[in-house]
C-alpha cells in the first residue's frame, strides 16, 4: 500500500471516468468532490451510459495537474518572493527538502501558514487550468462528458424520442442544499482573496500583453498572494449562526445569482442545437439549512431562524438593484425612433402611478424614453419594498409578492420585442426573469431540521399539560393513540401552557414557519426529522405543525415533513415506516394536499459510521428501491434527498457516476443533495467552476431520467443482487468486529486529534448532539468521526471490511465467485463506484504514519491489537482490489491524483510528525488549559493544513 498519498482523489483522471467531476457526500453527486477535484472545472464527468449499454469504455484525458505546471510555478515563485523575508526556509519547505518539523520553533507557525497558503494556491491553479481546458475543448467543437450537449447527443444516439425528453424535462427539479456542517476551515475573508487571485490570474494569462503590462499585472497578482500569506486563516472565535448565514449568502452575492440562470440558459442552448424546445425555467433551485438546522445546535432558536429568513430576503432584493439600475441606463430607446404600443404605455402609466412622489422625477429624467422610465419605476418600487421590510415609510408601493415583480418584468421584455428590440429583450431582460423565477424574494428555501428526540419530548410535555397527567413520550402507554387523536382534534390554545424553554421555542418555531409561508411559500422548504425511527415520530411533527399553523393549512399546502433515515436499522425499517404513515388517513390527506409527493432523506454519514462503507452503500440503494415500491403502492411520488459530505466516507464521489449508480427509477427527474462546508467553496467560489458543477449535476439527473423504464440494472436482480447481499453482510461483520474490539474507543480518542478538533473554530454547532462523553460513539457526529480518521491517515471509514468481504466470498465460491466479482466490476455502476472510491481512500491511507499515531495510545495492548487488525485488513483490501482492477499498484488509473500526492509526500510526512509531537505536548499536562498557547495554535494549524493537503475535512 502507498506510504504517503494524500491529495483527495481526482475523479477526473481515471481511465474509466472523467476528470474531476463534482462530488459528494460511497457514491454521489454534488453532496462532494475533493477540493482539487471540485475546483477543476475542466474535468469531464463520467458518462452514465443509457440503459442497456455496457460500462463506458475508458476515457483518457490529459493530466490537469501536469497541465497546470506553468501556473503552479508562477504562483509558487510569487509565494516564495513574498514569504522569504519572514521565512527563509520557504523555498526548501515547498520543495520538500526541509521538513516542517525541522523548522525552528520561532518560525514554526509561519511554516505551517506557508503550507496552508500553498495548498490553497494549488487549488486555484487547478481551477484556472480546468476552466481553460474546457474552453479549449469547446472551441474545438468537442462536447465535454457530462455537459448538456453530451447528454442530449447520447440521448439522440440511443433513440430517445422528443416526447420522452419533454416528459423528463417536465419532471426535472434539482435542488442543491447548503448545510451548516462545520467542515469549512476558511473564513469569508480568505475566500474573497482567493477570488481576487483567480481574477488576477485570469487577467494576466488569457490575453496578449506588452512586457510592461505583464510586469504590472504580475505585481498586482503578487500583491494578492502577499495579502493571502499574511492573512490569518484560523478563526479566533467560533462563528455565530448569523455569521454562518452570511458565509452562505456570500456565494449567492458573488456567484450563484448569476450562475443558476446561466445554467438554465446552457440547457436552453443545448436543446436548441439538438431536439429543439425550451429548458424548464424552474429546474434548478437552491435550499439551505443554514439558520434552520437545530439538530444538536442550541444556538439556532426561532428568533435566529427569523433573522436568517430576513437576511436571505434582503440579499435577494438587493441583488436585483444593480440589474434594474443597469436597465434604466441601457434601454435608451426613445419615441423619436420607435412607437410604443398602447398596451405598454398603459402598463408604464400604471407602474408610474405606484411610484408616488418619485414619478415626476422619473419622467423628467427620462423624457420620451419609456423603457428607461419603466426600469427606473421598477427600481423605485424595489427600493420601497426594501424600505418597507426595514419598517421605514416608503414613498412608492412595495411589491406584494415576487410574482407581481416577475409579471412586470415580463411586460418590459414583451414591450422590447414589440418595438423591434428582441435581442435586447433576450440579452438584458430574460436573465432577470430567470433569476426572479429561481430566487424570488427568498434566495433559498430554508429547511428546518430537528431530531425526533426533541420533538417527542416537547410534544409529550404539551400533552401532559393539556391532559393534566404525566406523559413521557413514545414509551408511554397509549402514545400512538394520543397522537392519532391529536391529529384529528381542533388546535388547542398553547399560549397559556407552562412549558419548558425548549418546548416554547419549538412551538414558536412552528408558528414562525406558518407565518413565513403565508408571506412567501417559497421561503420555507421542508421540516427534516433526523433520527426518525418510527411512524409515530413523523406523526408528532404533523401534530405540532397543524396545531401551530394558525389556519395556514386552509390556504396553502401543508408543511412538507421529511424523514431522515440514518442508521442501518433505520434504513432497513424505512419502507415499513412510510407504509404505516401512508396508511394513516389523516396523514394521507395532508400528503394529498401536498401534491401526493413525499421526500425522504437518506443519511450517508451515520450509516457509514454504523455499518461501514460497503454496507452503507448497499443498504442505501436497497432502501431507495423499497421506498419507491411503497410510493407506487399508495400512489405517492417518493423522491430522495441525499445527505452527503465532502469525503468519500460520507458519500463524496463524482456526480455523473454517483447518480448513474443510483437504482433504476429512483431519480426520475427529482434530486436533492447536500453541499457541505469546504465543498461549497470548492464548487461555488467562482462562476466558471459553479457553472460546470451545476451543469454536470443537472445533466446527470436528466441522463438518469432518460433511461428506458423497462430495464433493471444487473446489481438489482439475480446473482449480482445475491452477491451484494453476501458481501454487505461479510463487510459489516468485519467492521463491527473492529469497532467493538476492547479498547477501540480509547484507540480512536487517543490515536487521533478528535478531541482537539473541538478547538478548531469551524462551526457554531457542538461536536455531539447531546453532550455525550467521548466513550459513546453513537452520539458522535459523523464529521469528526471521518475527520479524525483522515488526520491520522488510517482512512478506514472508506475501505475497512471490503477486503475481508471480497476474500471470504471468493474463498467460499471459488473460481465462479471470482468470475462473478470481475463481471460485477465491469457491469455494475454501484459495485464499480464502491471499489473505485475505496481504492482511492486506501491509496490516501498511510499506515506508516498511522503507526506513529497508534503510539499515542496509552494502553499498549489495545494499541497493538487495533492497529494490527487495521493493518491486516488494509493489506487484504489492497490485494483484493488489485485482483479486481488487474493492476499492480493502487490508483494507477488516477494519474492526476498520484502526481499531486507524490509531489506533497515529503511535506505531509513532516506535518504528521509535527502534529504527533504537538499532541503529546498538549496532552502531557491536564489538557489544553495547561498547554502552551503557541503549541495549541500550532496544533490547530497542523489540523488545518493536513486537511488542506488531503483536500477535505470530512
Amino acid at each position: 500500500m502507498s506510504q504517503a498519498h494524500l491529495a483527495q482523489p481526482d475523479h477526473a483522471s481515471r481511465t474509466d471516468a472523467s476528470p474531476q467531476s463534482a462530488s459528494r457526500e460511497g457514491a454521489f453527486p454534488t453532496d462532494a468532490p475533493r477540493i482539487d477535484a471540485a475546483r477543476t472545472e475542466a474535468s469531464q464527468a463520467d458518462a452514465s451510459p443509457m440503459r442497456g449499454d455496457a460500462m463506458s469504455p475508458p476515457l483518457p484525458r490529459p493530466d490537469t495537474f501536469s497541465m497546470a505546471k506553468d501556473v503552479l510555478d508562477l504562483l509558487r515563485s510569487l509565494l516564495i518572493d513574498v514569504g522569504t523575508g519572514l521565512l527563509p526556509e520557504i523555498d526548501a519547505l515547498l520543495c520538500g527538502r526541509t521538513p516542517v518539523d525541522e523548522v525552528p520553533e520561532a518560525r514554526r507557525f509561519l511554516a505551517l501558514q506557508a503550507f496552508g497558503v500553498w495548498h490553497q494556491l494549488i487549488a486555484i491553479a487547478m481551477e484556472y487550468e480546468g476552466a481553460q481546458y474546457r474552453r479549449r475543448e469547446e472551441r474545438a467543437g468537442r462536447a465535454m462528458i457530462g455537459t448538456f450537449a453530451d447528454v442530449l447527443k447520447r440521448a439522440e444516439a440511443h433513440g430517445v424520442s422528443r416526447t420522452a425528453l419533454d416528459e423528463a424535462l417536465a419532471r426535472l427539479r434539482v435542488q442543491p442544499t447548503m448545510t451548516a456542517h462545520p467542515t469549512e476551515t476558511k473564513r469569508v475573508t480568505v475566500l474573497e482573496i482567493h477570488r481576487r487571485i483567480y481574477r488576477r490570474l485570469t487577467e494576466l494569462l488569457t490575453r496578449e500583453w506588452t512586457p510592461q503590462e505583464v510586469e504590472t499585472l504580475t505585481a498586482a497578482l503578487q500583491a494578492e498572494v502577499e495579502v493571502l500569506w499574511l492573512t490569518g486563516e484560523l478563526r479566533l472565535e467560533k462563528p455565530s449562526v448569523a455569521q454562518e448565514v452570511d458565509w452562505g449568502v456570500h456565494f449567492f452575492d458573488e456567484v450563484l445569482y448569476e450562475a443558476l440562470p446561466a445554467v438554465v440558459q446552457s440547457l436552453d442552448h443545448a436543446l436548441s442545437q439538438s431536439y429543439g424546445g425550451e429548458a424548464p425555467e424552474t429546474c434548478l433551485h437552491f435550499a439551505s439549512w443554514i439558520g434552520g438546522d437545530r439538530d444538536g445546535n442550541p444556538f439556532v432558536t426561532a428568533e435566529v431562524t427569523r433573522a436568517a429568513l430576513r437576511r436571505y430576503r434582503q440579499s435577494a432584493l438587493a441583488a436585483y438593484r444593480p440589474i434594474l439600475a443597469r436597465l434604466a441606463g441601457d434601454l435608451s430607446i426613445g419615441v423619436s425612433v420607435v412607437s410604443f404600443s398602447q398596451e405598454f404605455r398603459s402598463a408604464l402609466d400604471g407602474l408610474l402611478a405606484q411610484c408616488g412622489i418619485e414619478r415626476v422625477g422619473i419622467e423628467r429624467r427620462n423624457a420620451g424614453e419609456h423603457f428607461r422610465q419603466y426600469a427606473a419605476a421598477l427600481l423605485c418600487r424595489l427600493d420601497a419594498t426594501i424600505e418597507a421590510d426595514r419598517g421605514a415609510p416608503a414613498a412608492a408601493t412595495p411589491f406584494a409578492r415576487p410574482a407581481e415583480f416577475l409579471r412586470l418584468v415580463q411586460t418590459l421584455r414583451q414591450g422590447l420585442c414589440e418595438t423591434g428590440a428582441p435581442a435586447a429583450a433576450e440579452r438584458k431582460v430574460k436573465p432577470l426573469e430567470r433569476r426572479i423565477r429561481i430566487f424570488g424574494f427568498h434566495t433559498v428555501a430554508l429547511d428546518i431540521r430537528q431530531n425526533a428526540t426533541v420533538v417527542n419530548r416537547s410534544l409529550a410535555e404539551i400533552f401532559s399539560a393539556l391532559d393534566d397527567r404525566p406523559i413521557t413520550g413514545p414509551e408511554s402507554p397509549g402514545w400512538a393513540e394520543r397522537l392519532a387523536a391529536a391529529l384529528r382534534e381542533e388546535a388547542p390554545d398553547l399560549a397559556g401552557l407552562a412549558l419548558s424553554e425548549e418546548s416554547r421555542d419549538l412551538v414558536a418555531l412552528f408558528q414562525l414557519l406558518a407565518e413565513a409561508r403565508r408571506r412567501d411559500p417559497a421561503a420555507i422548504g421542508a421540516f427534516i426529522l433526523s433520527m426518525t425511527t418510527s411512524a409515530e415520530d413523523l406523526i408528532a411533527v404533523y401534530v405540532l405543525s397543524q396545531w401551530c399553523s394558525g389556519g395556514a393549512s386552509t390556504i396553502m399546502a401543508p408543511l412538507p415533513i421529511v424523514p431522515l433515515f440514518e442508521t442501518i436499522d433505520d434504513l432497513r425499517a424505512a419502507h415499513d415506516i412510510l407504509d404505516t404513515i401512508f396508511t394513516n388517513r389523516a396523514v394521507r390527506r395532508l400528503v394529498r394536499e401536498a401534491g401526493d409527493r413525499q421526500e425522504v432523506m437518506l443519511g450517508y454519514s451515520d450509516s457509514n459510521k454504523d455499518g461501514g462503507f460497503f454496507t452503507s452503500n448497499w443498504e442505501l440503494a436497497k432502501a431507495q428501491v423499497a421506498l419507491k415500491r411503497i410510493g407506487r403502492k399508495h400512489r405517492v411520488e417518493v423522491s430522495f434527498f441525499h445527505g452527503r459530505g465532502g469525503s468519500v466516507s460520507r458519500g463524496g464521489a463524482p456526480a455523473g457516476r454517483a447518480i448513474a449508480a443510483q437504482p433504476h427509477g429512483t431519480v426520475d427527474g427529482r434530486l436533492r443533495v447536500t453541499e457541505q462546508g469546504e465543498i461549497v467553496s470548492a464548487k461555488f467560489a467562482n462562476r466558471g467552476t459553479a457553472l460546470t458543477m451545476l451543469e454536470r449535476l443537472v445533466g446527470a439527473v436528466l441522463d438518469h431520467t432518460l433511461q428506458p423504464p423497462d430495464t433493471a440494472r444487473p446489481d438489482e436482480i439475480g446473482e449480482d443482487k445475491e452477491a451484494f447481499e453476501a458481501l454487505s453482510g461479510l463487510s459489516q461483520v468485519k467492521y463491527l468486529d473492529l469497532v467493538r474490539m476492547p479498547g477501540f474507543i480509547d484507540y480512536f480518542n487517543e490515536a487521533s486529534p478528535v478531541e482537539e478538533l473541538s478547538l478548531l473554530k469551524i462551526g457554531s454547532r457542538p461536536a455531539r448532539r447531546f453532550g455525550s462523553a467521548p466513550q459513546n460513539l453513537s452520539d458522535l457526529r459523523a464529521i469528526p468521526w471521518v475527520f479524525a480518521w483522515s488526520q491520522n491517515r488510517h482512512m478506514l471509514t472508506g475501505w475497512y471490511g471490503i477486503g475481508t468481504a471480497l476474500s471470504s466470498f471468493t474463498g467460499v465460491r471459488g473460481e465462479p465467485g471470482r468470475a462473478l466479482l470481475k463481471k460485477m466490476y465491469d457491469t455494475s455502476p454501484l459495485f464499480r463506484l464502491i471499489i473505485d472510491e475505496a481504492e482511492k481512500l486506501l491509496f490516501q491511507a498511510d499506515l506508516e504514519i498511522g503507526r506513529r499515531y497508534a503510539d499515542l495510545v496509552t494502553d499498549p495492548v489495545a494499541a497493538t491489537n487495533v492497529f494490527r487488525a487495521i493493518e491486516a485488513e488494509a493489506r487484504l483490501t489492497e490485494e483484493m482490489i488489485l485482483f479486481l482492477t488487474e493492476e499492480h499498484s493502487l490508483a494507477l488509473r488516477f494519474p492526476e491524483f498520484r502526481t499531486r500526492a507524490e509531489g506533497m509526500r515529503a511535506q505531509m510526512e513532516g506535518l504528521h510528525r509535527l502534529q504527533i509531537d504537538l499532541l503529546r505536548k498538549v496532552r502531557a499536562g491536564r489538557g489544553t488549559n495547561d498547554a502552551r498557547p503557541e503549541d495549541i495554535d500550532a496544533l490547530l494549524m497542523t489540523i488545518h493544513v493536513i486537511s488542506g493537503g488531503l483536500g477535505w475535512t470530512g
Side-chain angles (χ1 to χ4, degrees), residues 355-577:
C355 291
I357 60 173
E358 299 293 327
R359 174 173 187 161
V360 175
I362 292 171
E363 291 179 316
R364 184 180 298 131
R365 283 194 305 273
N366 305 292
E369 296 175 332
H370 293 340
F371 291 133
R372 273 183 162 173
Q373 292 179 8
Y374 195 96
L378 287 174
L379 179 57
C380 177
R381 290 196 59 192
L382 179 71
D383 286 340
T385 308
I386 294 171
E387 289 302 312
D389 282 357
R390 294 172 180 162
T397 304
F399 293 118
R401 292 184 178 273
E404 179 190 9
F405 183 34
L406 175 62
R407 176 178 55 79
L408 291 169
V409 171
Q410 289 173 319
T411 299
L412 174 59
R413 181 166 66 89
Q414 183 179 354
L416 284 165
C417 291
E418 290 171 350
T419 55
E426 182 69 21
R427 175 71 178 172
K428 295 179 179 294
V429 183
K430 186 67 176 290
L432 174 58
E433 282 186 41
R434 286 198 173 106
R435 185 182 289 203
I436 298 169
R437 284 193 177 95
I438 294 169
F439 298 107
F441 290 168
H442 62 279
T443 300
V444 296
L446 182 63
D447 287 338
I448 306 299
R449 185 172 74 142
Q450 184 55 282
N451 68 72
T453 301
V454 172
V455 171
N456 287 328
R457 187 164 59 221
S458 293
L459 189 57
E461 186 180 356
I462 292 170
F463 283 162
S464 297
L466 291 173
D467 299 354
D468 197 24
R469 64 185 179 89
I471 298 176
T472 58
E475 65 279 6
S476 299
W479 176 256
E481 292 76 13
R482 183 64 182 94
L483 286 173
L487 209 51
R488 296 190 299 267
E489 294 172 2
E490 289 292 322
D493 181 10
L494 304 180
L497 299 181
L499 300 175
S500 64
E501 182 179 351
E502 177 183 74
S503 298
R504 288 199 307 273
D505 190 68
L506 190 60
V507 169
L509 170 70
F510 278 104
Q511 292 170 340
L512 169 63
L513 297 182
E515 173 192 332
R517 295 177 77 236
R518 280 192 292 269
R519 183 183 192 187
D520 185 353
I524 300 297
F527 189 101
I528 313 292
L529 185 66
S530 59
M531 300 172 64
T532 300
T533 60
S534 68
E536 287 74 27
D537 290 342
L538 290 168
I539 293 173
V541 183
Y542 277 109
V543 169
L544 282 170
S545 178
Q546 293 299 106
W547 280 6
C548 302
S549 66
S553 60
T554 63
I555 60 172
M556 68 178 71
L559 175 70
I561 310 299
V562 175
L564 169 52
F565 299 112
E566 300 173 89
T567 68
I568 299 298
D569 287 344
D570 292 343
L571 288 170
R572 290 170 177 168
H575 65 286
D576 286 335
I577 293 173

Side-chain angles (χ1 to χ4, degrees), residues 73-389:
D73 287 346
L74 170 63
L75 292 175
R76 179 175 154 181
S77 69
L78 295 178
L79 178 57
I80 291 171
D81 286 347
V82 302
T84 300
L86 292 175
L87 184 64
E89 304 92 344
I90 188 169
D91 189 2
L93 278 167
L94 298 183
C95 291
R97 296 193 305 270
T98 299
V100 66
D101 56 329
E102 294 182 8
V103 174
E105 184 175 340
R107 294 193 296 273
R108 185 175 60 189
F109 194 88
L110 279 173
L112 292 170
Q113 174 80 351
F115 279 132
V117 171
W118 177 231
H119 294 161
Q120 294 167 53
L121 293 177
I122 288 174
I124 294 170
M126 296 290 286
E127 183 171 3
Y128 168 81
E129 185 54 48
Q132 300 314 306
Y133 176 72
R134 173 167 181 163
R135 291 189 179 101
R136 289 193 294 270
E137 290 295 292
E138 291 184 350
R139 283 197 297 268
R142 293 187 289 267
M144 298 284 288
I145 301 298
T147 60
F148 293 135
D150 169 64
V151 170
L152 294 174
K153 180 180 178 181
R154 285 187 287 110
E156 286 183 309
H158 285 80
V160 175
S161 68
R162 171 67 184 270
T163 300
L165 175 66
D166 287 344
E167 290 174 353
L169 290 171
R171 297 196 298 275
L172 192 61
R173 184 175 177 85
V174 181
Q175 193 171 46
T177 302
M178 284 189 187
T179 73
H181 284 282
T183 58
E184 174 58 272
T185 59
K186 292 185 288 296
R187 300 184 294 145
V188 170
T189 297
V190 173
L191 295 175
E192 289 171 343
I193 300 170
H194 288 183
R195 187 169 173 80
R196 296 200 300 270
I197 290 173
Y198 183 87
R199 286 175 168 174
R200 291 292 189 187
L201 196 61
T202 301
E203 184 181 21
L204 172 63
L205 299 180
T206 57
R207 292 179 60 184
E208 295 293 329
W209 301 105
T210 67
Q212 182 177 349
E213 289 171 328
V214 169
E215 184 178 339
T216 300
L217 292 170
T218 304
L221 175 60
Q222 182 176 24
E224 297 298 348
V225 172
E226 184 177 66
V227 171
L228 181 62
W229 158 242
L230 297 175
T231 297
E233 292 186 62
L234 298 180
R235 294 186 175 99
L236 300 179
E237 300 291 340
K238 287 180 74 69
S240 66
V241 178
Q243 288 172 324
E244 289 179 326
V245 171
D246 286 340
W247 174 85
V249 166
H250 165 83
F251 296 100
F252 290 92
D253 288 342
E254 295 295 330
V255 173
L256 293 173
Y257 283 136
E258 291 186 3
L260 267 68
V263 171
V264 177
Q265 170 60 31
S266 294
L267 178 54
D268 211 46
H269 177 75
L271 287 167
S272 71
Q273 300 298 306
S274 54
Y275 284 85
E278 295 184 353
E281 298 284 347
T282 57
C283 66
L284 181 61
H285 294 265
F286 255 82
S288 179
W289 286 9
I290 308 176
D293 186 3
R294 305 161 65 89
D295 184 12
N297 191 342
F299 305 111
V300 182
T301 64
E303 283 308 305
V304 166
T305 297
R306 183 187 298 276
L309 288 167
R310 187 163 54 243
R311 180 70 178 90
Y312 289 127
R313 178 178 168 91
Q314 289 169 351
S315 177
L317 291 171
Y320 296 124
R321 289 201 82 262
I323 302 175
L324 293 176
R326 189 161 56 246
L327 289 175
D330 291 352
L331 300 180
S332 53
I333 301 169
V335 293
S336 61
V337 179
V338 300
S339 59
F340 294 82
S341 69
Q342 184 57 48
E343 291 81 4
F344 183 77
R345 288 173 180 268
S346 297
L348 173 61
D349 187 64
L351 182 58
L352 287 169
Q354 293 180 299
C355 291
I357 60 173
E358 299 293 327
R359 174 173 187 161
V360 175
I362 292 171
E363 291 179 316
R364 184 180 298 131
R365 283 194 305 273
N366 305 292
E369 296 175 332
H370 293 340
F371 291 133
R372 273 183 162 173
Q373 292 179 8
Y374 195 96
L378 287 174
L379 179 57
C380 177
R381 290 196 59 192
L382 179 71
D383 286 340
T385 308
I386 294 171
E387 289 302 312
D389 282 357

Side-chain angles (χ1 to χ4, degrees), residues 632-643:
R632 288 192 296 270
K633 172 184 173 181
H634 293 277
R635 298 182 180 180
V636 175
E637 180 184 344
V638 175
S639 61
F640 297 104
F641 181 3
H642 297 264

